[in-house]
Amino acid sequence: MRSFWPRSTLGRTVLLLAVLLLGTQGAVYVLFHQYVLNPAAERFAEFLWQTDHALIAAGADHTAIGTLQWRSPQVLPGTPANNYFLRQSARYLARIAPGAALRVGPADAHTTWMWIRGDHHQPWLGLRVSPMEFGGRGFMFMRLGIIALCTLLGAWIIVRQINRPLARLAAEAPRIGRGDMPESLAPIGGPLEVRHLEQAITSMAKDLHRLHEERTLLLTGISHELRTPLSRLLLTLHLQDPDLLAEKAAMLVDVSEMDETIDKFLTLVRSGDEEKVIRVEVTDWVMEMAETGRERYGLEVQVEHAAEAVVLPPLRCRPLALERVFRNLFDNARRYGGGRLDIQIIRHRDSTEICLRDHGPGVPEGDIEAMNNGTLPRQSGHGSGIGLRICQRIMALHGGTLRFANARTGGLIAKLAFPDHGTVAPGLATNPF
């Protein structure tokens, strides 16, 4: 049985539809004969029997010619009925009275003779009627076959059209599972369930791709980022240097660097996914972060507020994760930006932008695009190492973006854009710095 069971959805659907169609057609065939033809044949038999008795009682002309013809009870005119309706009529006629019978023919091209007899002793009455063609069993099965063929052809076309998106999704599933997409995947379309399945598979592919990237980053970070300070520690332990205090200080610096690197990798993996989202006022948040930059990083921070006429909507954020972004930018400004930082709040039509500009040498123009994409493979300052990946991940978690640009008058600008999540507040957009 399994060898005849199709493997594809299209084949199984068409096979099930064929079984259903044949079953319903067979049921219609049986029910039509049982509840339509059989009662009609019974009534027709009663009509013929009553007609025969009525004509005999009325003394109809017993001639052998004309519209009504009579034959002796001993002869057998015509032949037995050869179609279902007349056979059933003859059967019901025999039930009404013993010896009653019905025969048909002979017939010419335009008329048919129907012979009836009320009992064994009554003569045969011949009635000339129009040809009664009800169609034989062959005609019935041929009609059912044509209906079944047309229905199956239509069902195959419809089912193929419905299953085409599912077939496309099945063809694309290996690529999605390998992580080659999902951004390159063209819309599958199709029924609602197929679109939901497509979205679920694409979402799982994104998660798998992210997990693969995180695993690669962790392995790369452990093998490269931590190798340098560990090598320095081992070298220091083997050196015969009388200046032990200086060596201990260097070892402490290396240990701190290792601890900071491990913390960055753990932050990249967590990215604040489980932190609760709250609403904060943009101005208050920026002022708090500026104070953190002054106290913890020793920066000279200047904050330029938005114009008084500009309405700043509340910012929906994960505070600890977003603080990590500012801390990374503060650390870069302390190391590479000359210790000075200017912060400006800019209101656009559908987003709020926070710009942080340091006063360092900036970065090469060739690295700007890689920094904006978070793909710079080596650390070259200004958050282009693992810290940059952390910042890009956290901003994506907030639905925002982090973009870098060299200032026209020197220094590097980091632009944090946060889209609105509610009603867009009116405002003016200005060019930073």
Side-chain angles (χ1 to χ4, degrees):
M1 180 64 182
R2 292 184 178 180
S3 60
F4 297 99
W5 186 246
R7 301 181 62 184
S8 65
T9 304
L10 178 61
R12 292 184 179 185
T13 306
V14 172
L15 178 60
L16 292 175
L17 285 176
V19 173
L20 178 62
L21 176 65
L22 293 178
T24 54
Q25 290 290 340
V28 169
Y29 179 84
V30 173
L31 293 176
F32 176 76
H33 284 71
Q34 183 69 25
Y35 295 101
V36 177
L37 286 183
N38 288 354
E42 184 177 3
R43 301 297 180 270
F44 185 64
E46 293 178 355
F47 171 76
L48 292 178
W49 186 78
Q50 294 174 0
T51 300
D52 180 61
H53 280 66
L55 290 176
I56 295 176
D61 186 14
H62 289 62
T63 61
I65 58 173
T67 304
L68 295 177
Q69 296 183 9
W70 299 88
R71 295 287 187 272
S72 171
Q74 288 75 25
V75 301
L76 295 176
T79 59
N82 59 357
N83 63 62
Y84 181 86
F85 179 79
L86 293 180
R87 284 201 309 271
Q88 289 296 104
S89 298
R91 184 178 305 171
Y92 285 120
L93 188 62
R95 291 181 183 177
I96 294 174
L102 172 66
R103 299 177 69 86
V104 179
D108 54 31
H110 303 288
T111 59
T112 299
W113 282 91
M114 187 176 300
W115 299 91
I116 58 175
R117 182 179 63 181
D119 56 41
H120 292 291
H121 306 289
Q122 292 182 356
W124 290 92
L125 171 63
L127 303 174
R128 189 168 65 178
V129 297
S130 300
M132 302 177 66
E133 297 293 340
F134 294 94
R137 180 174 299 178
F139 172 78
M140 178 68 72
F141 283 117
M142 181 181 67
R143 184 178 64 179
L144 293 178
I146 294 176
I147 294 175
L149 180 62
C150 295
T151 305
L152 288 178
L153 180 61
W156 182 82
I157 296 175
I158 295 173
V159 173
R160 184 174 181 273
Q161 181 67 24
I162 295 175
N163 288 341
R164 181 179 297 176
L166 186 61
R168 285 188 55 201
L169 184 61
E172 296 288 353
R175 292 182 55 199
I176 298 176
R178 290 194 302 267
D180 297 343
M181 22 180 84
E183 295 181 357
S184 61
L185 178 63
I188 297 295
L192 182 62
E193 293 80 4
V194 176
R195 293 200 297 269
H196 287 173
L197 180 61
E198 173 196 357
Q199 294 172 0
I201 293 178
T202 304
S203 177
M204 288 188 292
K206 289 181 179 179
D207 293 339
L208 290 174
H209 185 67
R210 188 185 70 175
L211 291 175
H212 177 73
E213 283 187 342
E214 290 176 354
R215 175 179 176 273
T216 303
L217 286 173
L218 287 174
L219 293 177
T220 303
I222 293 173
S223 61
H224 295 284
E225 298 288 343
L226 299 181
R227 182 175 295 172
T228 301
L230 285 174
S231 300
R232 288 201 298 265
L233 284 174
L234 292 174
L235 181 62
T236 301
L237 291 175
H238 289 84
L239 286 177
Q240 300 297 327
D241 195 333
D243 193 2
L244 296 178
L245 295 178
E247 297 301 335
K248 288 182 179 180
M251 292 173 65
L252 290 175
V253 172
D254 288 339
V255 171
S256 299
E257 183 178 348
M258 292 171 58
D259 184 66
E260 181 182 357
T261 302
I262 293 174
D263 181 65
K264 286 183 177 181
F265 278 111
L266 293 177
T267 303
L268 175 65
V269 174
R270 296 190 184 102
S271 298
D273 289 337
E274 299 179 356
E275 188 181 355
K276 184 179 179 181
V277 178
I278 65 173
R279 289 178 176 268
V280 298
E281 296 295 333
V282 178
T283 303
D284 296 341
W285 175 264
V286 171
M287 293 302 297
E288 182 180 346
M289 290 297 100
E291 190 64 26
T292 301
R294 296 188 189 99
E295 293 181 357
R296 302 256 181 117
Y297 296 89
L299 297 176
E300 181 183 345
V301 183
Q302 297 292 332
V303 180
E304 180 181 343
H305 300 282
E308 295 182 358
V310 176
V311 178
L312 297 177
L315 179 65
R316 299 178 69 252
C317 70
R318 294 173 168 86
L320 295 180
L322 189 58
E323 183 178 349
R324 170 67 66 175
V325 177
F326 280 86
R327 286 179 176 272
N328 274 279
L329 297 176
F330 290 160
D331 185 62
N332 289 328
R334 177 175 58 85
R335 294 183 181 184
Y336 314 107
R340 292 176 55 196
L341 191 66
D342 298 332
I343 302 179
Q344 184 179 8
I345 303 174
I346 303 172
R347 177 59 190 165
H348 296 278
R349 184 175 300 277
D350 56 358
S351 64
T352 300
E353 189 175 69
I354 302 175
C355 297
L356 295 86
R357 173 197 171 183
D358 62 32
H359 291 268
V363 298
E365 290 294 336
D367 293 339
I368 291 293
E369 183 177 357
M371 291 175 62
N372 289 334
N373 295 329
T375 57
L376 198 61
R378 60 183 178 83
Q379 187 171 2
S380 61
H382 291 90
S384 56
I386 188 64
L388 174 60
R389 293 179 181 268
I390 294 173
C391 294
Q392 295 285 10
R393 175 71 60 81
I394 294 175
M395 289 302 296
L397 189 65
H398 287 77
T401 58
L402 172 61
R403 294 290 181 267
F404 294 91
N406 286 319
R408 292 188 296 268
T409 57
L412 182 71
I413 304 174
K415 304 177 181 179
L416 290 78
F418 299 90
D420 294 337
H421 295 277
T423 304
V424 177
L428 301 175
T430 58
N431 293 324
F433 310 110

